[in-house]
Amino acid sequence: MASVDVDKIRNIALLAHSGAGKTTLTEAIVFNSGAITRMGSVADGNTVTDFDQEEIERKLSISSALAQCQWQGGYVLNLIDTPGFINFLEDTRGCLTVADGAVVIVSAVSGVRAETMKVWAMTAEFDIPVIVFINEVNKENADFQAALQQIKDSFDIKPITLFIPLSDSAPMEGLIDVVKQRAYKRTADGAYAEADIPSALVSKAEGFRKDLVECVAESDDALLEKYLEGAELSEQEILNGLVNGAATRKFILLTFGSAVNNYGIQQLVDTIIQCMPSPLRRAEIKPIVAKLPDGTQEVTLQPLKDKPLAAYVFKTIADPYAGRLTMFRVFSGQLKPDTTVYNATKGVRERIGHVHYLLGKKQIPAHGLGPGEFGVVTKLKETLTGDTLCEEAHPFVFTPLKFAEPIISYAIEPKTKGDEDKVSTGLHKILDEDPTLRFHRDEETNEMIIAGMGQIHIEVALHKLKRKFGVEVEMKTPTVPCRETIRAKAKAQGKYKKQSGGRGQYGDCWIEIEPLPSGSGFEFVDKVVGGSVPRQYIPAVEKGIIDKLKSGILAGYPMVDLRVTIFDGSYHAVDSSEMAFKIAGSMAIKKAAMDAHPVLLEPIMKVEVITPDDCLGAVIGDLNSKRGKVQGVDSQAGGNQKVAAAVPMSEILTYANQLHSITSGRGLYSMEFSHYEDVPAHISQKIIAERSKKDTEE
């Protein structure tokens, strides 16, 4: 592709809840641009941007994908088809760091949902201008007016309707341009024939135009003054007002159509080109800010070709055959093939080979990429998501996005013994492309733990592991990391004496244990006087005690929050040794702990749930049934409520699935560790019995 004028680039993220039609809309735009010769469908699994096997099988977007196409007039659209399913919205959020505008799709059938509000909040987080596209208006049960009202009620920025349907029921015959006050009837070949607005709709169309003009006038002091004086705003003044107001989020623009029927697409793209900012205009509104690598100074960059290179890596894909695919946006300067760039985040040089544009999985060779352009390179050794590529002589670092922490964990084990290393190697490569996944081996339970944003998220990662790296694993609920402690003081003697014909073993110590406040950990105090236990053996006693505390005395969990004081003992001049006193210490702590009212502790999680008003009672009831303690309820925008609660971890390990069921997919939640509390007696007895049974079997 020839060099692109930065003023004619539009970088647009398509956002919505899952099933609202993002992928189909992307397909329709790309088809209308001429980049593909035939529209695929999600149902048939042949769309440009849902090309991963998991996406085809599940019929939903799992990972963001790029689709570049050219539009009439020399414009270039870089479309980012993002996931809408709740488990994958952090991927969507990551892509908004490189978008200049967004199209939020609202279904005329299902309306505004929890995920819609989530992605809307993301546009506010990154201050991104928005066009709302009401989709699926050609379905029989569609309701354009109801969807429009939901948008007005849910979003905190007023929508300006640019087009309205020419009829109130499906199939839609055409549309009315609110600004021009002209009707456009759809012809058999899919084109639009201009016509007068039907008399029955004239009043309605004029009402929409009046609202539009008032909103535009209120966004600009000069236009407002002219409007209040009773003068008519020209079509060009209205257009300028729409452009400036939309770019600065004073209002959102609204169009409609049907992606699957390729209806309203021309009007949507025209609106994108006219009203969404170019990278140059976007930089005027929201400056491109980076820092020097040492973090001491901020630098404002310009989206110009003759400036130093600054590119941000927003996504990484692990491919077992092609290697690592690195997707990036150039913010300043130019990135050319067969050059060396500097990764300022890691402080290393990277060799750039071929550079490509992306149309889904299709890579189109590029001679170089300038400001505002997206591209992909392969086989970079050190570069990952969030890194900055630049010139070594002019180093800049963009602040990487901090992704949300995982909310659900599973233990995994390979189906084939001896595949643990393969699991670890494969998952670490998958983690390179998904910053919201976590993987580690739990030191207490020795389980391999994978954590993510939901069960589907983890299942998808494990399917990738099988498909890409040939390793199959089983998922199971992880062991809850309980603790043990004591609630009273106690004293005990640990005496180890062994004779075996030659030199024997002798160690003897007296200890006292007492509870400490929660979170205090372990303290060891030496109060031995008179040399009853020689100095050189006291560390051995402490080590024996610590080793025993690691495995607990009730159910095999570590003991915490206690003080152990050694105050007496005895020794043998010949038979005493460090090993003997270590064993004596272990014996003493076991006896003392059993007399000190030992209890089990369980981790308590701080949980925040966002739920629609109509599900509030069910959500609170469910939390109460999980031994949760509701600590507060606050109203949220869009008819939602936020419930704060403290819930035992053991009760909420698979909460993502249950909340989805209770709220029909409209609920969201987050959680983090809060503290430990005593396990109720009946549950504690069950845990101890299970542990005893397991030990017997082993």
Side-chain angles (χ1 to χ4, degrees), residues 541-582:
V541 174
E542 181 181 7
K543 190 172 189 312
I545 291 170
I546 291 174
D547 286 350
K548 184 59 186 173
L549 292 179
K550 287 179 181 178
S551 58
I553 61 167
L554 291 176
Y557 296 107
M559 294 197 76
V560 295
D561 302 332
L562 72 160
R563 178 185 291 124
V564 178
T565 302
I566 179 172
F567 62 89
D568 202 359
S570 62
Y571 73 101
H572 189 281
V574 176
D575 292 346
S576 286
S577 66
E578 288 187 2
M579 177 60 71
F581 273 97
K582 179 181 175 182

Coordinates of all heavy atoms in Angstrom, one line a residue, residues 541-582:
V541 N 16.2 -26.3 67.7 CA 14.8 -26.4 68.2 C 13.8 -25.6 67.4 O 12.7 -26.0 67.0 CB 14.8 -26.0 69.7 CG1 13.3 -25.9 70.2 CG2 15.6 -26.9 70.5
E542 N 14.3 -24.3 67.1 CA 13.4 -23.4 66.3 C 13.1 -24.0 64.9 O 12.0 -24.0 64.4 CB 14.1 -22.1 66.2 CG 13.3 -21.1 65.4 CD 14.0 -19.7 65.2 OE1 15.2 -19.6 65.6 OE2 13.4 -18.8 64.7
K543 N 14.1 -24.6 64.3 CA 13.9 -25.2 63.0 C 12.9 -26.4 63.0 O 12.1 -26.5 62.2 CB 15.3 -25.7 62.4 CG 15.2 -26.1 60.9 CD 16.5 -26.4 60.3 CE 16.5 -26.5 58.8 NZ 15.4 -27.5 58.3
G544 N 13.0 -27.2 64.1 CA 12.1 -28.3 64.2 C 10.7 -27.8 64.4 O 9.7 -28.4 63.8
I545 N 10.5 -26.7 65.1 CA 9.2 -26.1 65.4 C 8.7 -25.6 64.1 O 7.5 -25.8 63.7 CB 9.3 -25.0 66.5 CG1 9.6 -25.7 67.8 CG2 8.0 -24.2 66.5 CD1 9.9 -24.7 68.9
I546 N 9.5 -24.8 63.3 CA 9.0 -24.2 62.1 C 8.6 -25.3 61.1 O 7.6 -25.2 60.4 CB 10.1 -23.3 61.5 CG1 10.3 -22.1 62.4 CG2 9.8 -22.9 60.1 CD1 11.4 -21.2 62.0
D547 N 9.4 -26.3 61.0 CA 9.1 -27.4 60.0 C 7.8 -28.0 60.4 O 7.0 -28.4 59.5 CB 10.2 -28.5 60.0 CG 11.5 -28.0 59.3 OD1 11.4 -27.0 58.7 OD2 12.5 -28.7 59.4
K548 N 7.5 -28.2 61.7 CA 6.2 -28.8 62.1 C 5.1 -27.9 61.8 O 4.0 -28.3 61.4 CB 6.3 -29.2 63.5 CG 5.0 -29.9 64.0 CD 4.8 -31.2 63.2 CE 3.5 -31.9 63.5 NZ 3.2 -33.0 62.6
L549 N 5.3 -26.6 62.0 CA 4.2 -25.6 61.8 C 3.8 -25.5 60.3 O 2.7 -25.3 60.0 CB 4.7 -24.2 62.2 CG 4.9 -24.0 63.7 CD1 5.3 -22.6 64.0 CD2 3.6 -24.3 64.5
K550 N 4.8 -25.8 59.4 CA 4.4 -25.8 58.0 C 3.4 -26.8 57.6 O 2.6 -26.6 56.7 CB 5.7 -26.0 57.2 CG 6.7 -24.9 57.2 CD 7.9 -25.2 56.3 CE 8.9 -24.0 56.3 NZ 10.1 -24.4 55.6
S551 N 3.4 -28.0 58.3 CA 2.4 -29.0 58.0 C 1.2 -29.1 58.9 O 0.3 -29.9 58.8 CB 3.1 -30.4 57.9 OG 3.7 -30.6 59.2
G552 N 1.2 -28.2 59.9 CA 0.1 -28.1 60.8 C -0.1 -29.4 61.7 O 0.6 -30.4 61.6
I553 N -1.2 -29.4 62.5 CA -1.5 -30.5 63.3 C -2.9 -31.0 63.1 O -3.3 -32.1 63.6 CB -1.2 -30.2 64.8 CG1 -2.2 -29.1 65.2 CG2 0.2 -29.9 65.0 CD1 -2.2 -28.9 66.7
L554 N -3.8 -30.2 62.5 CA -5.2 -30.6 62.3 C -5.5 -31.2 61.0 O -6.0 -32.3 60.9 CB -6.1 -29.4 62.5 CG -6.2 -28.9 64.0 CD1 -7.1 -27.6 63.9 CD2 -6.8 -29.9 64.9
A555 N -5.1 -30.5 59.9 CA -5.5 -31.0 58.6 C -4.4 -30.7 57.6 O -4.6 -30.6 56.4 CB -6.8 -30.3 58.1
G556 N -3.2 -30.5 58.1 CA -2.0 -30.4 57.2 C -1.8 -29.0 56.6 O -1.0 -28.8 55.7
Y557 N -2.5 -28.0 57.2 CA -2.3 -26.6 56.8 C -1.3 -25.9 57.7 O -1.1 -26.2 58.8 CB -3.6 -25.8 56.8 CG -4.6 -26.4 55.8 CD1 -5.7 -27.1 56.3 CD2 -4.5 -26.2 54.4 CE1 -6.6 -27.6 55.4 CE2 -5.4 -26.7 53.5 CZ -6.5 -27.4 54.0 OH -7.4 -27.9 53.1
P558 N -0.5 -24.9 57.1 CA 0.5 -24.2 58.0 C -0.2 -23.5 59.2 O -1.3 -23.0 59.1 CB 1.0 -23.1 57.0 CG 0.7 -23.6 55.6 CD -0.6 -24.4 55.7
M559 N 0.5 -23.5 60.3 CA 0.1 -22.8 61.5 C 0.7 -21.4 61.5 O 1.8 -21.2 61.2 CB 0.5 -23.5 62.7 CG -0.2 -24.9 62.9 SD 0.0 -25.5 64.6 CE -1.3 -24.5 65.4
V560 N -0.2 -20.4 61.9 CA 0.2 -19.0 61.8 C -0.2 -18.3 63.1 O -1.0 -18.8 63.9 CB -0.4 -18.3 60.6 CG1 0.2 -18.8 59.3 CG2 -1.9 -18.3 60.6
D561 N 0.3 -17.1 63.3 CA -0.1 -16.2 64.4 C 0.0 -16.8 65.7 O -0.9 -16.9 66.5 CB -1.6 -15.8 64.1 CG -1.8 -15.1 62.8 OD1 -0.8 -14.5 62.3 OD2 -2.9 -15.2 62.2
L562 N 1.3 -17.2 66.1 CA 1.5 -17.7 67.4 C 3.0 -17.4 67.8 O 3.9 -17.2 66.9 CB 1.3 -19.2 67.5 CG 2.2 -20.2 66.8 CD1 2.1 -21.6 67.4 CD2 1.9 -20.3 65.3
R563 N 3.2 -17.3 69.1 CA 4.5 -17.1 69.6 C 5.0 -18.4 70.4 O 4.2 -19.0 71.1 CB 4.5 -15.9 70.6 CG 5.9 -15.7 71.3 CD 5.8 -14.6 72.3 NE 5.6 -13.3 71.7 CZ 4.6 -12.5 72.0 NH1 3.7 -12.9 72.9 NH2 4.4 -11.3 71.4
V564 N 6.2 -18.8 70.1 CA 6.7 -20.0 70.8 C 7.9 -19.5 71.6 O 8.9 -18.9 71.1 CB 7.2 -21.1 69.8 CG1 7.8 -22.3 70.6 CG2 6.0 -21.5 69.0
T565 N 7.9 -19.9 72.9 CA 9.0 -19.5 73.8 C 9.6 -20.8 74.4 O 9.0 -21.6 75.0 CB 8.5 -18.6 75.0 OG1 7.8 -17.5 74.4 CG2 9.6 -18.2 75.9
I566 N 10.9 -20.9 74.1 CA 11.7 -22.0 74.8 C 12.2 -21.5 76.1 O 12.9 -20.4 76.1 CB 12.8 -22.5 73.8 CG1 13.5 -23.7 74.6 CG2 13.7 -21.5 73.3 CD1 14.5 -24.4 73.7
F567 N 11.9 -22.2 77.2 CA 12.4 -21.7 78.5 C 13.2 -22.7 79.3 O 13.7 -22.3 80.4 CB 11.1 -21.2 79.3 CG 10.1 -22.3 79.6 CD1 10.2 -23.0 80.8 CD2 9.1 -22.5 78.8 CE1 9.3 -24.0 81.1 CE2 8.2 -23.5 79.1 CZ 8.3 -24.3 80.2
D568 N 13.2 -23.9 78.9 CA 14.0 -24.9 79.7 C 14.3 -26.1 78.8 O 13.8 -26.2 77.7 CB 13.2 -25.3 80.9 CG 14.1 -25.9 82.1 OD1 15.3 -25.9 81.8 OD2 13.6 -26.2 83.1
G569 N 15.0 -27.1 79.4 CA 15.3 -28.3 78.7 C 16.5 -29.0 79.4 O 17.0 -28.6 80.5
S570 N 17.1 -29.9 78.7 CA 18.3 -30.6 79.2 C 19.0 -31.2 78.0 O 18.5 -31.3 76.9 CB 17.9 -31.7 80.2 OG 17.1 -32.7 79.6
Y571 N 20.3 -31.6 78.3 CA 21.1 -32.1 77.2 C 22.0 -33.2 77.8 O 22.2 -33.3 79.0 CB 21.9 -31.0 76.5 CG 23.0 -30.5 77.4 CD1 24.4 -30.9 77.1 CD2 22.8 -29.6 78.4 CE1 25.4 -30.4 77.8 CE2 23.9 -29.1 79.2 CZ 25.2 -29.5 78.9 OH 26.2 -29.0 79.6
H572 N 22.7 -33.9 76.9 CA 23.6 -35.0 77.2 C 25.0 -34.6 76.6 O 25.0 -34.2 75.4 CB 23.1 -36.3 76.7 CG 24.0 -37.5 77.2 ND1 25.2 -37.8 76.6 CD2 23.7 -38.4 78.2 CE1 25.7 -38.9 77.3 NE2 24.8 -39.2 78.2
A573 N 26.0 -34.6 77.4 CA 27.3 -34.2 76.9 C 27.8 -34.9 75.7 O 28.5 -34.4 74.8 CB 28.3 -34.3 78.0
V574 N 27.4 -36.2 75.5 CA 27.9 -37.0 74.4 C 26.8 -37.2 73.3 O 27.0 -37.1 72.2 CB 28.4 -38.4 74.9 CG1 28.8 -39.3 73.7 CG2 29.5 -38.2 75.9
D575 N 25.5 -37.5 73.8 CA 24.5 -37.9 72.8 C 23.7 -36.8 72.2 O 23.0 -37.0 71.2 CB 23.5 -38.9 73.5 CG 24.1 -40.2 73.9 OD1 25.2 -40.5 73.3 OD2 23.5 -40.9 74.7
S576 N 23.8 -35.6 72.7 CA 23.0 -34.5 72.2 C 23.6 -34.0 70.8 O 24.8 -34.1 70.6 CB 23.0 -33.3 73.1 OG 22.1 -33.5 74.2
S577 N 22.7 -33.7 69.9 CA 23.1 -33.2 68.6 C 22.0 -32.2 68.1 O 20.9 -32.1 68.6 CB 23.2 -34.4 67.6 OG 21.9 -35.0 67.4
E578 N 22.3 -31.5 67.0 CA 21.3 -30.6 66.4 C 20.1 -31.4 65.9 O 18.9 -31.0 66.1 CB 21.9 -29.9 65.2 CG 22.9 -28.8 65.7 CD 23.4 -28.0 64.5 OE1 22.9 -28.2 63.4 OE2 24.3 -27.1 64.7
M579 N 20.3 -32.6 65.4 CA 19.2 -33.4 64.9 C 18.3 -33.8 66.0 O 17.0 -33.7 65.9 CB 19.7 -34.6 64.2 CG 18.6 -35.6 63.7 SD 17.5 -34.8 62.5 CE 18.6 -34.6 61.1
A580 N 18.8 -34.2 67.1 CA 18.0 -34.6 68.3 C 17.2 -33.4 68.8 O 16.0 -33.6 69.1 CB 18.9 -35.1 69.4
F581 N 17.8 -32.2 68.9 CA 17.0 -31.1 69.4 C 16.0 -30.6 68.3 O 14.9 -30.1 68.7 CB 17.9 -30.0 69.8 CG 18.4 -30.1 71.2 CD1 19.6 -30.6 71.5 CD2 17.6 -29.6 72.3 CE1 20.1 -30.8 72.8 CE2 18.0 -29.8 73.6 CZ 19.2 -30.3 73.9
K582 N 16.3 -30.8 67.1 CA 15.3 -30.5 66.0 C 14.0 -31.4 66.2 O 12.9 -30.9 66.2 CB 15.9 -30.7 64.7 CG 14.9 -30.4 63.5 CD 15.6 -30.6 62.2 CE 14.6 -30.4 61.0 NZ 15.2 -30.6 59.7

